[in-house]
């Protein structure tokens, strides 16, 4: 724990907050530009002596609950709150995120602007939340299921039909990428019941997943080269890009191909044929 840096950071944030920001009167005799120490302590539900020890770097060891209360009292933003926890050598609290099943507004705004390339929003567990028309044409709509089966990664290891969207020779690559990504997500989420259920179910149902999970490879999937088997266009070679939400719980995926390539020509044709040639295997399309 870095006591001196924690003390300096707390004082700098205290000086920034004006009394009016937290509903306190400024008063005629105020000698500091921001809050007094005792005011911060009161807002955070701490004793004035304890907060003074923190700001003087005298060795107090604040708990995660105390740090969260200080973050609220000092009106810290997300990055500032994370920095506070790092300085105190405490594990970060769970990040705020959109309700389950709802795409975050910022990502939806970007998705609405992507009209010439397939794009969709998925969760960190690969559950599809929203798609533009070209993504539906390329990948098919998401399945009307709930629970673990809503995750493409879960279906990948439990439903052989899910793998038909990629050429068989590419399956080992995608399996490794999915599991390494899932390892990173599980570590970020910590003691998360949803992740625990999925991991337990997959380890029980899939020997391949179990073996890959034991390798402990960890890597978030940020970009990937995919060959997608489309019912009308055949194999479409595309680059898949990811934009992560601030809390990491959602991703905007979009697919592109270099100009002049066969993949680019296939995407142009896809915009013409739309969904008319999609088959009933749509719910097992990838993300």
């Amino acid at each position: 724990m870095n006591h001196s840096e924690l003390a300096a950071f707390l004082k700098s944030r205290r000086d920034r907050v004006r009394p009016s920001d937290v509903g306190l009167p400024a008063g005629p005799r105020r000698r500091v530009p921001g809050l007094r120490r005792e005011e911060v302590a009161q807002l955070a539900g701490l004793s004035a002596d304890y907060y003074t020890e923190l700001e003087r770097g005298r060795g107090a060891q604040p708990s995660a609950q105390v740090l969260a209360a200080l973050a609220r009292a000092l009106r810290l933003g997300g990055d500032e709150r994370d920095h506070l926890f790092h300085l105190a050598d405490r594990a970060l609290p769970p990040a705020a995120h959109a309700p389950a099943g709802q795409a975050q507004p910022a990502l939806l705004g970007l998705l609405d602007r992507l009209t010439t390339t397939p794009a969709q929003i998925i969760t960190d567990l690969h559950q599809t939340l929203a798609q533009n028309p070209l993504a539906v044409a390329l990948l098919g709509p998401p399945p009307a299921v709930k629970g673990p089966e809503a995750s493409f990664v879960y279906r990948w290891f439990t439903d052989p039909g899910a793998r038909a969207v990629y050429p068989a020779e590419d399956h080992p690559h995608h399996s490794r990428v999915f599991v390494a990504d899932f390892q990173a997500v599980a570590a970020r989420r910590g003691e998360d019941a949803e992740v625990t259920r999925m991991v337990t179910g997959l380890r029980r149902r899939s020997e391949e997943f179990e073996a890959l999970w034991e390798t402990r490879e960890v890597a978030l999937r940020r970009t990937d080269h995919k060959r997608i088997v489309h019912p009308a266009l055949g194999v479409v070679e595309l680059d898949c890009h990811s934009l992560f939400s601030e809390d990491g719980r959602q991703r905007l995926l979009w697919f592109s191909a270099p100009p002049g390539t066969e993949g680019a020509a296939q995407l142009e044709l896809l915009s013409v044929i739309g969904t008319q040639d999609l088959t009933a295997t749509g719910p097992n399309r990838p993300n």
Side-chain angles (χ1 to χ4, degrees), residues 37 152 270 279:
R37 287 173 178 165
F152 182 72
L270 184 69
T279 70

Side-chain angles (χ1 to χ4, degrees), residues 152-171:
F152 182 72
V153 172
Y154 192 88
R155 299 196 305 277
W156 177 262
F157 289 102
T158 60
D159 178 7
R163 301 195 172 203
V165 298
Y166 295 131
E169 58 269 28
D170 296 349
H171 292 179

Side-chain angles (χ1 to χ4, degrees), residues 3-272:
H3 291 93
S4 60
E5 284 298 323
L6 176 63
F9 183 66
L10 288 172
K11 184 180 185 306
S12 71
R13 300 306 88 185
R14 175 170 65 84
D15 290 343
R16 185 189 62 177
V17 182
R18 298 295 182 264
S20 58
D21 295 337
V22 294
L24 294 174
R29 298 182 180 178
R30 184 173 292 272
R31 293 180 298 174
V32 295
L35 298 178
R36 300 185 178 100
R37 287 173 178 165
E38 58 268 23
E39 290 171 336
V40 175
Q42 180 181 2
L43 290 169
L46 308 173
S47 72
D49 288 342
Y50 181 79
Y51 178 76
T52 298
E53 283 192 9
L54 283 176
E55 203 171 287
R56 288 179 176 174
R58 289 184 174 174
Q61 302 284 336
S63 66
Q65 291 77 13
V66 167
L67 295 172
L70 287 171
R72 291 191 296 270
L74 295 171
R75 301 298 192 267
L76 301 187
D79 291 336
E80 292 174 320
R81 181 201 61 169
D82 291 353
H83 185 62
L84 178 67
F85 273 73
H86 284 305
L87 291 176
D89 197 24
R90 296 292 182 186
L92 294 176
H97 54 277
Q102 296 183 19
Q104 295 187 8
L107 294 185
L108 275 175
L110 288 174
L111 181 66
D112 289 341
R113 294 175 178 272
L114 294 174
T115 59
T116 61
T117 192
Q120 62 182 13
I121 299 171
I122 67 170
T123 70
D124 54 352
L125 299 180
H126 295 258
Q127 300 148 335
T128 302
L129 300 177
Q131 297 175 293
N132 68 8
L134 279 178
V136 176
L138 177 67
L139 307 171
V145 295
K146 296 181 180 180
E149 289 77 13
S151 164
F152 182 72
V153 172
Y154 192 88
R155 299 196 305 277
W156 177 262
F157 289 102
T158 60
D159 178 7
R163 301 195 172 203
V165 298
Y166 295 131
E169 58 269 28
D170 296 349
H171 292 179
H173 164 76
H174 292 298
S175 293
R176 290 193 302 271
V177 170
F178 281 142
V179 175
D181 184 90
F182 199 5
Q183 284 272 17
V185 170
R188 281 188 171 190
R189 286 209 186 189
E191 298 297 325
D192 182 277
E194 185 180 18
V195 171
T196 299
R197 285 194 300 272
M198 283 187 61
V199 172
T200 300
L202 285 169
R203 297 184 76 168
R204 183 178 66 251
R205 296 185 59 181
S206 171
E207 293 182 1
E208 181 188 22
F209 179 88
E210 169 71 12
L212 289 170
W213 190 258
E214 286 300 313
T215 67
R216 290 176 170 79
E217 292 187 16
V218 180
L220 284 173
R221 186 182 72 177
R222 293 179 171 85
T223 61
D224 200 1
H225 185 75
K226 292 177 176 287
R227 297 196 302 158
I228 298 173
V229 180
H230 187 272
L233 302 176
V235 176
V236 185
E237 291 199 33
L238 300 170
D239 294 317
C240 178
H241 313 274
S242 299
L243 175 66
F244 291 75
S245 63
E246 184 177 359
D247 62 9
R249 292 287 187 111
Q250 296 184 11
R251 308 171 186 185
L252 174 65
L253 306 183
W254 71 98
F255 300 83
S256 66
T261 63
E262 183 179 2
Q266 288 171 309
L267 283 183
E268 290 186 11
L269 182 56
L270 184 69
S271 64
V272 176

Side-chain angles (χ1 to χ4, degrees), residues 266-287:
Q266 288 171 309
L267 283 183
E268 290 186 11
L269 182 56
L270 184 69
S271 64
V272 176
I273 65 174
T275 61
Q276 60 184 331
D277 289 305
L278 287 177
T279 70
T281 60
N284 280 327
R285 307 300 290 178
N287 53 47

